[in-house]
Amino acid sequence: MKRLLPLLFVLSVFSLMGQKSTPAFKNGEWLKFRIHYGILNASYATMHLTSETLDSVPVYHVVGKGKTTGFASIFFKVDDTYESYFGRRNGRPYKFIRKIDEGGYTKDMQIDFDYETRNAVLKDHKNGTQQEFPIHNGVQDLISASYFLRSNYNLEEFVEGQSIDLDMLFDDDGMFKFQLKYLGKEILKTKFGKVECLKFRPLVQSGRVFKEKESLTLWVSNDLNKIPIRIKADLAVGSLKADLEAYNGLRNQFKIIMN
């Protein structure tokens, strides 16, 4: 189970697709997910959104945490923290922090985005190195991308098979071409009741974590919040499933089918 999964990588990209006319989130939103690896209740992950000011810029600050619990932590320890500061007005990321420990695979880095110079500076605190990458106004980091998508796309205009492309910078590999394909609607049974969901397939990098490029499937609520309800992944070793366990501070009503 070496380097099982960057837990927040999965969850961060899955708070997707809001309506342009109605905000999809607000200060104080908190989501908790229960993650299963095979038959094990392997871990929990949370995402918490607050309002702050960074260098005189009004921003949202998101902190995502993922950690193994119980028996799973005995043979594979995961302790991940991701943070993003992105503009409340324009959705652009200004700072991204990634601190992870996944079975001994560790990273400790920070990316600062400068739109005047059109450069991003990545500081690798673990190795004591620094890199610069050219950026454009449409770039997103791993966490900010999810909130940008929630706020800037209207699925009433989508058809099955349609895809969204997005440039993301979150690692020293440079710009990552993220693609998300819309698969249609599906009703899921959850602990909260039946929820109508929008189904997606993101294309991911096969290799260290995922079996193939189309190894992930996700479902988000078909309401104004567009929060993740379920995620399934075929990994290089085994399979993973994540379900929404709890929530608080949603901006809009969470729609449950009452029958």
Side-chain angles (χ1 to χ4, degrees):
M1 295 181 62
K2 184 180 181 182
R3 302 181 184 179
L4 171 61
L5 183 69
L7 297 173
L8 273 300
F9 177 92
V10 177
L11 295 175
S12 64
V13 201
F14 302 148
S15 301
L16 300 170
M17 315 303 256
Q19 304 290 339
K20 289 183 178 180
S21 58
T22 304
F25 51 84
K26 66 177 182 179
N27 175 41
E29 181 184 86
W30 176 83
L31 305 173
K32 181 179 181 180
F33 302 88
R34 183 172 58 181
I35 301 174
H36 302 267
Y37 178 76
I39 62 173
L40 298 176
N41 180 19
S43 63
Y44 288 91
T46 59
M47 295 185 72
H48 188 206
L49 176 78
T50 57
S51 296
E52 296 185 17
T53 300
L54 179 68
D55 298 329
S56 301
V57 177
V59 297
Y60 284 115
H61 179 202
V62 182
V63 178
K65 292 181 177 289
K67 197 169 187 177
T68 47
T69 59
F71 182 72
S73 62
I74 297 175
F75 60 90
F76 189 82
K77 182 180 179 181
V78 172
D79 190 355
D80 290 356
T81 299
Y82 290 78
E83 297 183 55
S84 177
Y85 298 78
F86 62 91
R88 277 186 255 165
R89 298 189 181 96
N90 56 28
R92 295 178 189 169
Y94 289 92
K95 181 188 289 187
F96 174 71
I97 297 170
R98 184 183 183 191
K99 295 181 180 181
I100 65 171
D101 185 345
E102 298 162 359
Y105 176 73
T106 62
K107 282 182 179 287
D108 183 359
M109 60 179 55
Q110 175 178 316
I111 304 176
D112 294 293
F113 297 81
D114 188 331
Y115 297 97
E116 291 187 2
T117 63
R118 291 186 173 270
N119 273 319
V121 177
L122 185 153
K123 297 177 182 177
D124 188 331
H125 300 301
K126 175 184 174 181
N127 298 310
T129 59
Q130 180 171 304
Q131 293 177 261
E132 291 190 12
F133 298 95
I135 61 172
H136 54 80
N137 288 340
V139 69
Q140 294 290 323
D141 68 40
L142 193 63
I143 302 295
S144 67
S146 61
Y147 296 89
F148 176 80
L149 289 169
R150 287 174 71 179
S151 299
N152 288 276
Y153 287 88
N154 187 345
L155 278 177
E156 293 178 359
E157 303 169 358
F158 268 54
V159 295
E160 291 186 26
Q162 186 172 347
S163 296
I164 295 174
D165 297 312
L166 197 64
D167 286 335
M168 296 170 60
L169 179 62
F170 57 89
D171 207 343
D172 53 11
D173 292 331
M175 203 73 75
F176 173 69
K177 297 289 185 180
F178 176 73
Q179 186 177 77
L180 189 72
K181 183 188 295 184
Y182 176 54
L183 302 182
K185 297 178 182 178
E186 185 175 336
I187 295 176
L188 295 184
K189 291 182 179 179
T190 75
K191 64 172 292 184
F192 311 104
K194 293 181 180 179
V195 178
E196 183 176 79
C197 296
L198 304 166
K199 187 176 181 180
F200 297 92
R201 178 149 297 144
L203 298 183
V204 296
Q205 291 176 317
S206 60
R208 181 178 74 84
V209 173
F210 301 104
K211 271 186 179 181
E212 300 175 353
K213 291 181 67 176
E214 296 192 3
S215 294
L216 274 173
T217 307
L218 65 107
W219 294 259
V220 300
S221 61
N222 187 20
D223 55 24
L224 294 176
N225 299 298
K226 299 298 182 290
I227 56 174
I229 301 299
R230 178 169 297 163
I231 302 155
K232 287 186 177 180
D234 293 323
L235 308 178
V237 180
S239 61
L240 176 143
K241 178 184 176 185
D243 287 300
L244 181 66
E245 176 73 10
Y247 60 89
N248 195 12
L250 299 184
R251 176 149 198 149
N252 305 291
Q253 181 180 1
F254 182 26
K255 290 187 178 180
I256 307 294
I257 300 174
M258 305 300 293
N259 59 32

